[in-house]
């Protein structure tokens, strides 16, 4: 059974499906969009990425979601993710948007709705975002969301160590210890 996800003024968030692969390919195969990963995805990698998100819906109850405009266009994906920082699982948030939709507030709108969902529905005490230091647009977005940088760690991706900054937002009124 699929969950009901937030709907914003301009976006409908919904679980991804295998049928979304053709719509995801132009986004995930664009090196300008995927520069923080240091490569654009192959067709096989898009399929693997999509399958991993479908698996996470079953195991975690959430993952990246399709972010569709009122007209039905796939603007990108945004979602709550179980992140592992130095071996410790944490609730995270992420976003990947088609460059046609950059600078229009869609990523912020989707992320704000998911943060509200994380705090009010899931009862999360905090949400983090893992962001590469050179990814200035995502860092600015995290800051506009009220997140603050609280640390960094090295993540191994495709066999390569990559530094990530940790941005964090604590639920209003929640005191986080540890």
């Amino acid at each position: 059974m699929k969950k009901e996800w937030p709907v914003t003024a301009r976006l409908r968030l919904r679980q991804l499906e295998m049928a979304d692969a053709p719509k995801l390919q132009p986004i995930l195969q664009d090196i300008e969009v995927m520069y923080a990963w240091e490569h654009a995805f192959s067709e096989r990698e898009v399929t693997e990425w999509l399958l991993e998100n479908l698996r996470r819906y079953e195991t975690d109850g959430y993952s990246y979601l399709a972010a569709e405009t009122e007209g039905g266009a796939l603007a990108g994906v945004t979602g709550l993710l179980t992140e592992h920082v130095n071996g410790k699982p944490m609730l995270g948030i992420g976003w990947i948007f088609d460059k046609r939709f950059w600078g229009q507030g869609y990523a912020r709108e989707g992320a704000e709705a998911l943060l509200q969902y994380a705090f009010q529905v899931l009862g999360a005490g905090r949400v983090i975002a893992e962001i590469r230091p050179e990814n200035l647009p995502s860092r600015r977005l995290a800051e506009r969301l009220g997140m603050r940088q609280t640390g960094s760690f090295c993540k191994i991706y495709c066999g390569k160590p990559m530094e990530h900054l940790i941005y964090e937002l604590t639920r209003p009124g929640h005191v986080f210890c540890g």
Side-chain angles (χ1 to χ4, degrees), residues 31 82-83 87 97 113 115 118 146 162 169 175 178:
I31 190 60
T82 300
E83 303 285 17
F97 277 76
L115 287 168
M162 294 183 171
L169 183 64
V175 176

Side-chain angles (χ1 to χ4, degrees), residues 25-174:
Q25 286 174 352
I27 300 168
L28 300 177
Q29 293 180 330
D30 185 331
I31 190 60
E32 286 183 73
V33 172
M34 301 300 289
Y35 73 93
W37 283 261
E38 297 187 3
H39 72 102
F41 284 11
S42 67
E43 189 171 320
R44 179 183 56 78
E45 288 170 317
V46 171
T47 299
E48 289 171 356
W49 183 90
L50 185 52
L51 287 169
E52 174 64 13
N53 284 283
L54 298 179
R55 182 195 66 75
R56 287 179 178 187
Y57 296 145
E58 296 299 319
T59 60
D60 300 344
Y62 46 79
S63 194
Y64 278 110
L65 302 168
E68 294 179 326
T69 65
E70 299 122 325
L74 182 65
V77 293
T78 187
L80 298 172
L81 310 161
T82 300
E83 303 285 17
H84 292 86
V85 178
N86 298 323
K88 184 177 177 183
M90 298 181 177
L91 181 60
I93 189 167
W95 47 82
I96 307 169
F97 277 76
D98 188 318
K99 65 184 172 197
R100 296 177 302 137
F101 295 92
W102 288 358
Q104 298 176 47
Y106 286 107
R108 181 177 182 171
E109 192 171 317
E112 285 175 338
L114 286 172
L115 287 168
Q116 183 176 16
Y117 181 90
F119 294 136
Q120 294 179 358
V121 176
L122 298 181
R126 79 170 169 181
V127 177
I128 68 159
E130 298 178 1
I131 304 174
R132 298 286 307 277
E134 62 275 12
N135 190 344
L136 297 179
S138 283
R139 290 177 66 184
R140 285 192 294 270
L141 174 55
E143 290 163 5
R144 284 194 304 274
L145 293 168
M147 301 181 100
R148 60 184 175 82
Q149 186 185 339
T150 59
S152 66
F153 77 110
C154 185
K155 183 177 196 173
I156 305 298
Y157 176 73
C158 291
K160 180 180 177 182
M162 294 183 171
E163 182 184 8
H164 284 72
L165 303 175
I166 300 169
Y167 280 80
E168 178 180 318
L169 183 64
T170 303
R171 181 177 69 223
H174 182 81

